[in-house]
Amino acid sequence: MQLPGPGVSRRTLLAGSVAAGAAAVLPMPVLAAAPIERFPIWPGSPPGGEGLSVRDETVKRSPDGPPDDIAWPRVATPMLNVVPPAQPNGRAILYIPGGGYARVAVGREGSGIARLFAARGYTVFELLYRLPRDGWAAGPDTPLQDAQRAMRLIRAGASKWGIDPARVAAMGFSAGGHLTARLAGRSGLKTYEPVDAADTQSARPTMVGLFYPVITMTEPNAHAHSKRELLGGNATPERIARYSAENGLPADMPPTLVAHAADDPVVGVANSLTMFTALQAAKIPSELHVFEKGGHGLPLNERGKPHPWPDLFERFARNHGM
């Protein structure tokens, strides 16, 4: 299904922070917006929805924000937005937004971050994923089902989109960072029965970027809201350990970059420190950047100049197979 891409207005360029993975400030100049492809990731109903009556719902993230500055508190139809580059470099990024597992902060028309990386040649796939709170049979693994399926679809459609299936990164923000970390660390976990030929593809990203991520479910550093939405109010120690993304990292964990602001008042920087410590202990190629300021979100512009994090991500990606 084809949807026309929006014109890049001044309001779009100045919209919001990247705190939940939505539109952010773009460095100038910006290429004209490309048409966006948008499609469901499952050929029929998503797995584990028998007996459910979930309907897709959206809310505006701010009353005076642009029309596409939305979040999804209910997701019945997980989707991918495909933000194509004007000059493709053959590489792809799966972009996983946040929302505390209570909603998914992604629009229909391509976020500022997606358009930034598309302007650099990447084909960017933004994921709208299902939420455990809606009662899907897989519970806390429901978002992981969608992330695994998305990675497989990207690789299965590599020739269509003109990308190298060996060069597919993933980046996640806030609770989307937790999902991205689980995708990277649990890419081989069977979370659903194959539904078509796309499911023969690997779900392992080439490399990953985790930005101000929710990581641990253990106290005192767990992000309480994400933990409650993902695991419920009375999670057992075993369940907490299972869904703490720093635990049980496999030997084939993709190279991982972690970035956070030290003054983040929402998700404590200890989450990123915990993840980096675990990556180093597992001898996974990894890099950590802690910025003095940024709050819950790293901007694309800081004091009128580009923030370094996109360049740092690209540098790390180039060094590790992208």
Side-chain angles (χ1 to χ4, degrees), residues 67-83:
D68 199 46
D69 185 19
I70 59 173
W72 303 72
R74 295 282 185 269
V75 178
T77 312
M79 306 280 285
L80 278 174
N81 296 337
V82 188
V83 184

Side-chain angles (χ1 to χ4, degrees), residues 91-277:
R91 298 160 175 82
I93 297 172
L94 175 62
Y95 172 109
I96 303 183
Y101 286 120
R103 58 183 191 169
V104 184
V106 66
R108 300 181 177 92
E109 299 174 346
S111 67
I113 293 173
R115 290 191 180 279
L116 171 70
F117 282 96
R120 296 182 178 203
Y122 298 88
T123 303
V124 184
F125 298 80
E126 296 179 312
L127 178 61
L128 172 65
Y129 53 90
R130 291 170 295 150
L131 300 165
R133 65 191 323 214
D134 289 326
W136 302 93
D141 283 332
T142 300
L144 182 57
Q145 289 180 330
D146 292 343
Q148 290 180 335
R149 173 70 177 170
M151 284 293 301
R152 290 166 175 149
L153 282 177
I154 292 168
R155 288 198 164 103
S159 60
K160 170 186 174 181
W161 291 304
I163 60 176
D164 181 348
R167 295 180 172 184
V168 184
M171 60 166 55
F173 301 81
S174 194
H178 180 269
L179 178 52
T180 303
R182 293 205 71 230
L183 172 65
R186 300 290 181 269
S187 61
L189 179 67
K190 185 176 181 179
T191 62
Y192 64 90
E193 294 297 325
V195 297
D196 57 26
D199 286 325
T200 63
Q201 299 287 331
S202 172
R204 178 185 179 274
T206 306
M207 59 79 61
V208 298
L210 309 178
F211 299 96
Y212 41 97
V214 172
I215 293 295
T216 190
M217 295 290 133
T218 61
E219 300 303 333
N221 296 320
H223 180 236
H225 185 75
S226 295
K227 179 180 179 179
R228 182 174 63 252
E229 292 290 342
L230 186 68
L231 303 181
N234 297 297
T236 64
E238 292 76 19
R239 194 172 176 87
I240 288 169
R242 177 182 175 184
Y243 290 96
S244 291
E246 76 274 18
N247 290 338
L249 300 183
D252 68 345
M253 176 80 178
T256 302
L257 178 142
V258 188
H260 217 119
D263 66 348
D264 190 331
V266 178
V267 177
V269 69
N271 280 264
S272 284
L273 301 177
T274 296
M275 187 64 184
F276 182 68
T277 299

Side-chain angles (χ1 to χ4, degrees), residues 16-36:
S17 76
V18 297
V25 180
L26 293 179
M28 295 295 285
V30 180
L31 297 179
I36 303 299

